[in-house]
């Protein structure tokens, strides 16, 4: 796997790699944008960041899924803050790949064992939910852009 492209602009407010990881592990919802036949399509999703990839579970009969099967390019944004000086976030761009069966029925899959348990620990009280309607997508970002406006007053 190649490392994501380095952020070229706004480096003064960019998060460090450790700050990006901590932020992504702290937040719960991302917004993903896909390329559809009628233009961009943006939707919220829960996610899991493992330090290298953003794991998403999506309804396999959704517009988002249809878009991604036709064009796997995606952007995902996770952000937080209310006032201007506290805004911070991360954008991850790249292409998704399907991991496991579609839809997910629980067939043993070594890559998904830890992901499904970590996702369950984070969102469903430790209970892995396999409903036969969702499937897993992995985004290994080609580019990560971050911002933390709290850094504007520093340095």
């Amino acid at each position: 796997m190649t490392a994501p492209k380095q952020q070229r602009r706004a480096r003064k407010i960019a998060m460090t790699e450790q700050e990006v990881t901590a932020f992504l592990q702290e937040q719960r919802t991302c917004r993903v944008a896909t390329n559809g036949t009628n233009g961009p399509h943006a939707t919220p999703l829960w996610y899991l960041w493992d330090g290298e990839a953003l794991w998403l579970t999506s309804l396999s009969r959704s517009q988002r899924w249809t878009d991604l099967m036709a064009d796997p390019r995606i952007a995902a944004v996770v952000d937080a803050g209310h006032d201007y000086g506290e805004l911070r976030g991360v954008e991850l761009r790249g292409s998704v790949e399907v991991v496991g069966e579609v839809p997910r029925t629980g067939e043993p899959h070594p890559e998904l064992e830890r992901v499904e348990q970590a996702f369950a620990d984070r969102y469903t009280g430790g209970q892995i939910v396999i409903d036969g309607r969702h499937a897993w997508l992995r985004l290994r970002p080609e580019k990560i852009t971050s911002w933390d406006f709290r850094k504007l007053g520093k340095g």
Side-chain angles (χ1 to χ4, degrees), residues 37-57:
T37 55
N38 295 320
H41 179 66
T43 55
L45 280 177
W46 283 344
Y47 68 90
L48 181 71
W49 174 250
D50 69 5
E52 293 181 5
L54 192 73
W55 291 86
L56 306 164
T57 182

Side-chain angles (χ1 to χ4, degrees), residues 12-13 85 148-155:
K12 181 178 180 180
I13 60 170
D148 185 346
F149 286 13
R150 299 173 306 175
K151 294 181 177 188
L152 287 173
K154 298 178 183 173

